[in-house]
Amino acid sequence: MARSPLAALSILSVPVHDVTYAETLDVLGEFIASGKPHQVCTVNPEFVMKARENPAFGAVLRGADLCLPDGVGLLWAAKLKGHRLRERVAGSTLMYPLAERAAQAGWRVFYLGAAPGIATKTAAILQARYPSLQVAGTYSGDDSPAESEKIIRLVHESRADVLLVAFGNPKQDFWIARYAQRLAVPVMVGVGGSFDFVAGVAKRAPLGWQKLGLEWLHRLLNEPKRWRRMLALPRFAWAVALERNSVVEWKDAVKKFSS
Ligand code: UDP
């Protein structure tokens, strides 16, 4: 039975799907069952602000099959404007339930990107936790044309069902969009710094901070070099609060883009 389209909001013209972790895993399962390539983006306020400055990035996000609400600021924006996103679905948290579901369902997962050795370490840690996880492959690599050709070969040989790409945003999302048809993996997700968290080279905020929606503050305190990047957060809040129609149902936004 065909599922009805997923509900999504347009937040400053970027789609954000209203999905929970459980629903995300089910949708990924449907993508895999279809066998066709699908792009998944882990959207947060920084993505939204980058998309405003870079229309090509906005087009990539609007072209993605699933845009996860990976940022508490998105939930806040929805609420402020009388809408609702039920749950934050963080790419770095999803790494674990995704590995668990992959182990149960026999999905083959390829870990691509991050600093040398990190993808392999990430896969090893997850495999130790979920012993039946099938790791299709791991590779550090980058988005250069020569490396991309090599990666496409490796990915084809690996028969991966899921390709997790940690090249940093927006690079990873542009890269997936560019090579999606050639990679032809049913689920391709840009996961940012998620491998660094699993591998333990970066520390996530304690659960209490996460529950209070303060993961961004923990990040700023631990990686003060990010302050310039993180100015996107107040700019995002400002734009959402002040602009009319900053948050609308996605189906209303589609009319705007197609007119
Ligand atoms: N990264 C990479 N190649 C690059 C830039 C970044 O592999 O040219 C990796 C980096 O090692 C780290 C991740 O991308 O693992 C960080 O991504 P991002 O900044 O998007 O992370 P987040 O916002 O999720 O922290």
Side-chain angles (χ1 to χ4, degrees), residues 13-254:
S13 303
V14 169
V16 181
H17 284 98
D18 179 26
V19 284
T20 63
Y21 282 102
E23 289 165 358
T24 299
L25 294 172
D26 290 345
V27 173
L28 299 187
E30 290 176 25
F31 290 168
I32 291 171
S34 83
K36 299 201 177 72
H38 292 84
Q39 177 164 13
V40 182
C41 298
T42 49
V43 176
N44 62 29
E46 194 186 329
F47 277 58
V48 174
M49 299 317 282
K50 278 186 191 171
R52 270 159 87 84
E53 284 152 24
N54 182 347
F57 186 41
V60 165
L61 298 177
R62 285 190 287 276
D65 300 281
L66 183 61
C67 285
L68 298 176
D70 182 350
V72 72
L74 303 175
L75 274 65
W76 169 85
K79 195 169 174 188
L80 185 78
K81 294 292 177 165
H83 296 272
R84 183 159 180 248
L85 292 168
R86 285 165 297 158
E87 185 165 71
R88 174 181 176 215
V89 179
S92 40
T93 302
L94 186 66
M95 296 291 291
Y96 297 91
L98 174 59
E100 184 179 31
R101 176 68 66 90
Q104 287 161 359
W107 302 344
R108 296 170 59 76
V109 186
F110 197 113
Y111 297 85
L112 172 67
I118 300 296
T120 308
K121 187 167 180 197
T122 299
I125 289 169
L126 291 170
Q127 204 164 36
R129 191 143 161 181
Y130 310 106
S132 48
L133 173 66
Q134 296 184 51
V135 175
T138 66
Y139 190 64
S140 174
D142 61 53
D143 67 340
S144 67
E147 276 287 278
S148 299
E149 293 304 322
K150 178 169 178 193
I151 294 166
I152 290 168
R153 244 190 352 265
L154 288 174
V155 168
H156 282 172
E157 284 162 11
S158 79
R159 295 177 293 109
D161 300 297
V162 179
L163 174 62
L164 304 179
V165 186
F167 287 163
N169 78 75
K171 200 193 273 191
Q172 62 200 14
D173 309 284
F174 276 119
W175 187 84
I176 293 173
R178 175 162 190 190
Y179 292 106
Q181 298 304 320
R182 291 189 57 204
L183 288 160
V185 179
V187 171
M188 295 174 280
V189 194
V191 294
S194 298
F195 297 174
D196 298 342
F197 291 118
V198 177
V201 293
K203 239 186 148 38
R204 279 199 78 181
L207 219 54
W209 288 55
Q210 289 184 41
K211 285 198 177 131
L212 287 171
L214 291 176
E215 183 150 30
W216 59 272
L217 179 61
H218 184 269
R219 198 112 200 238
L220 183 61
L221 296 173
N222 279 276
E223 299 171 60
K225 274 193 288 198
R226 292 175 76 92
W227 73 268
R228 197 184 292 277
R229 261 177 84 166
M230 291 188 69
L231 285 179
L233 296 175
R235 285 173 41 236
F236 170 81
W238 192 251
V240 167
L242 294 189
E243 285 180 30
R244 245 162 44 97
N245 299 326
S246 53
V247 181
V248 295
E249 298 286 331
W250 176 249
K251 53 186 187 306
D252 299 330
V254 171

